[in-house]
Amino acid sequence: MSFINSVLGPIDSTKLGFTLGHEHLLVAAAGVSEYYSQLLDDDLPRRLIRELKIAKHGGIDTIVDVTPHDLGRHPRLMAQVSRESGVNIIACAGWYTNIPFFFHGLSPDKIANLFIRETQVGMGETGIKAGVFKGASDIGGVTVHEAMMLRGIARAHLETKIPLVLHSHAGNQVARRQIEILKEERVDLTRVQIAHCN
């Protein structure tokens, strides 16, 4: 029996049911949903709950929300809508391609520790734990800073055995370089989902 962190606590992976492995409840900029909620739909929590109840009725038991902090991840909102809809939600730790300058000097080990904390202690001060790691590169290929972030996420995976989800770009076959980096870091590629390959 193995467990995965959901936004409502650990869940037996055999109880996940029908799972959508790459979803976004909300995509904004970091902090918008918490600090500038007037820019979003006033009815957002109720609308998300309603839509997830429809999904649940249609057979969806679990979603993996791969929205990292820089794309507006909102752990408390995820927990609320999970609780009220009955759909399990797995949140992610990691980063998209908008890597700010204050990450540029960090080592992969330091980055790994940041994201491990989000899976063991919680995201920010919420106590809500992430259940997957996310890395990303896009049309421009794997930049120096994205490679450093991916190495950090790979090391977090090695420490925790938590799966990885990668945002990629099919047209430029960006996943080839992402896979090379993960192999260099000795990641078990059976624990990696590469998105946007179509």
Side-chain angles (χ1 to χ4, degrees), residues 31-44:
V32 166
S33 60
E34 292 177 276
Y35 302 107
Y36 304 105
S37 60
Q38 66 273 23
L39 296 175
L40 304 172
D41 182 354
D42 290 337
D43 198 32
L44 180 64

Side-chain angles (χ1 to χ4, degrees), residues 19-25 62-68 71 90 96 132 134-135 165-168 193-196:
T19 301
L20 299 178
H22 189 111
E23 299 300 318
H24 298 277
L25 291 178
T62 302
I63 66 168
V64 180
D65 187 313
V66 290
T67 307
L71 290 183
I90 313 299
Y96 188 58
V132 297
K134 178 174 184 171
V165 177
L166 299 181
H167 172 96
S168 195
Q193 176 207 77
I194 302 173
H196 312 302

Side-chain angles (χ1 to χ4, degrees), residues 96-135:
Y96 188 58
T97 61
N98 310 312
I99 300 171
F101 72 92
F102 52 84
F103 272 96
H104 292 184
L106 298 182
S107 70
D109 289 332
K110 180 75 170 181
I111 290 166
N113 289 335
L114 293 173
F115 297 139
I116 289 168
R117 182 189 185 282
E118 291 195 331
T119 67
Q120 295 179 346
V121 176
M123 297 173 276
E125 301 306 315
T126 67
I128 299 168
K129 298 174 184 175
V132 297
F133 294 115
K134 178 174 184 171

Side-chain angles (χ1 to χ4, degrees), residues 3-22:
F3 288 85
I4 186 167
N5 291 332
S6 84
V7 296
L8 297 181
I11 186 169
D12 181 342
S13 61
T14 65
K15 308 277 191 220
L16 292 175
F18 193 90
T19 301
L20 299 178
H22 189 111

